[in-house]
Amino acid sequence: MSENSATPIAPLSAGNIVSAGMRIYRDHFQPYFGVAIRATLWSFLPFLALIPIPLIVIYSQANTSSFLLLIPAWLLLFIYCSAKSIVNNAIIARLVFGELTNQPETVREARHTLKPKMWAFLLAFFLFSLIGIGIWLILSVVIGILAGIIAAMANAGQPNVGTIVVLVLIGIVIFIIALIFIVRLLIRFFVFDMPLAVEENITATQTLGRSWELTKGYVGRIFVVLFIASLVTLPIGIIVQIIAGILENILKATIPANPTDASFQLLLFLMGYSIGLLSNVFLLPFWQAINALVYYDLRTRREGMGLQLRKQDI
């Protein structure tokens, strides 16, 4: 059978999804890495524009109220750069999905297709952020009320050790239940950008609903995939933290400055943020590959679509 032939495959296991993501990333490292660099630089640009402001305030003692006039301009820059970064993320996911369905595209072709959807992607991410904030606020209020009730019960009368232990256990159980609830809800939106990236005539609100529909009944499975993928990327995170700690100690030892000095703290922040961005450049294509693979697997399982996977050992 030729290299470009395609054969139908059964739905993938959690382990196969992660291994396939690594293989696809490895086989297409150069184009995916290039798009990841662009996505990361676009996300970094608004914060890069903020660097001169604290330095000017610290050293020139300028009137800080004058900088308030720059806030609208910075917000516009942040919105535009966020949209550009998000659409570059989606380009990687679309390229991976094209490989899975034996309909490969070039980066230029994927960018040309998704560019008109840039503001739809931004709106979808904004709506998703509102959903996440809303979930967190509601659960925070509920947990706060329950914590107040438990504290009132603990203070009523003369509590003994057994009562305190029981109340603490109740609090732990409530926290775990709330955490599981949050995770389950967020997982329902894990592939919310994929329909907008690969399907036609999808709006920002519809892509969220599409993710909710596809992930129904598969939350546990997706959680396992994310857990395995997190374990794979864990060594990179540890290495990044070690490098950041070493560089911080070097700066403290070589620069004669008070560690609490504002400019020195700014330098440390920029150094840590830059290292974080560097790790993001390497990890972004992998996570977008996982995103595309989960979406592909969900559509195969739920819709029985006649997708074809390029013949490869995954």
Side-chain angles (χ1 to χ4, degrees), residues 219-231:
V219 171
R221 175 181 174 78
I222 297 173
F223 177 81
V224 173
V225 172
L226 297 180
F227 179 74
I228 297 174
S230 298
L231 291 180

Side-chain angles (χ1 to χ4, degrees), residues 59-300:
Y59 292 106
S60 67
Q61 296 181 349
N63 185 3
T64 56
S65 61
S66 61
F67 290 107
L68 296 177
L69 299 176
L70 298 177
I71 292 179
W74 184 85
L75 287 176
L76 291 176
L77 176 66
F78 176 77
I79 291 172
Y80 179 77
C81 292
S82 297
K84 296 289 286 186
S85 178
I86 291 169
V87 80
N88 275 279
N89 293 346
I91 287 172
I92 299 175
R94 181 181 175 90
L95 291 173
V96 174
F97 188 79
E99 293 296 324
L100 295 172
T101 57
N102 199 34
Q103 297 175 335
E105 294 178 312
T106 64
V107 174
R108 183 183 296 272
E109 290 170 341
R111 190 180 304 280
H112 177 75
T113 302
L114 296 185
K115 187 177 180 180
K117 299 181 178 181
M118 184 175 72
W119 299 114
F121 276 110
L122 181 64
L123 178 58
F125 269 80
F126 177 72
L127 294 175
F128 172 70
S129 299
L130 290 181
I131 291 173
I133 294 172
I135 293 171
W136 182 258
L137 289 177
I138 292 173
L139 288 179
S140 297
V141 171
V142 172
I143 292 175
I145 294 174
L146 293 176
I149 295 174
I150 293 175
M153 293 172 60
N155 294 328
Q158 187 68 26
N160 54 43
V161 176
T163 303
I164 294 176
V165 171
V166 171
L167 292 176
V168 170
L169 290 176
I170 292 175
I172 294 174
V173 170
I174 292 174
F175 175 78
I176 294 175
I177 293 174
L179 184 61
I180 293 174
F181 181 73
I182 293 175
V183 171
R184 287 185 63 87
L185 282 180
L186 293 180
I187 286 178
R188 296 295 299 273
F189 296 105
F190 177 67
V191 295
F192 77 92
D193 57 331
M194 285 302 305
L196 190 58
V198 302
E199 299 181 26
E200 299 295 332
N201 302 319
I202 294 289
T203 64
T205 54
Q206 289 172 340
T207 194
L208 291 167
R210 186 87 168 106
S211 177
W212 185 269
E213 172 191 352
L214 289 173
T215 55
K216 183 180 180 180
Y218 294 99
V219 171
R221 175 181 174 78
I222 297 173
F223 177 81
V224 173
V225 172
L226 297 180
F227 179 74
I228 297 174
S230 298
L231 291 180
V232 171
T233 60
L234 183 61
I236 296 179
I238 294 175
I239 293 174
V240 168
Q241 292 299 321
I242 292 175
I243 294 175
I246 293 174
L247 292 179
E248 180 178 348
N249 291 330
I250 292 175
L251 287 177
K252 289 181 179 179
T254 55
I255 298 179
N258 187 342
T260 60
D261 182 71
S263 58
F264 185 74
Q265 290 296 321
L266 176 62
L267 179 62
L268 291 178
F269 169 77
L270 292 176
M271 180 197 68
Y273 189 71
S274 300
I275 295 174
L277 286 177
L278 182 61
S279 65
N280 181 72
V281 169
F282 285 97
L283 293 178
L284 178 60
F286 171 71
W287 281 111
Q288 288 302 97
I290 296 297
N291 189 19
L293 279 156
V294 169
Y295 171 76
Y296 168 86
D297 186 59
L298 289 173
R299 289 195 63 181
T300 303

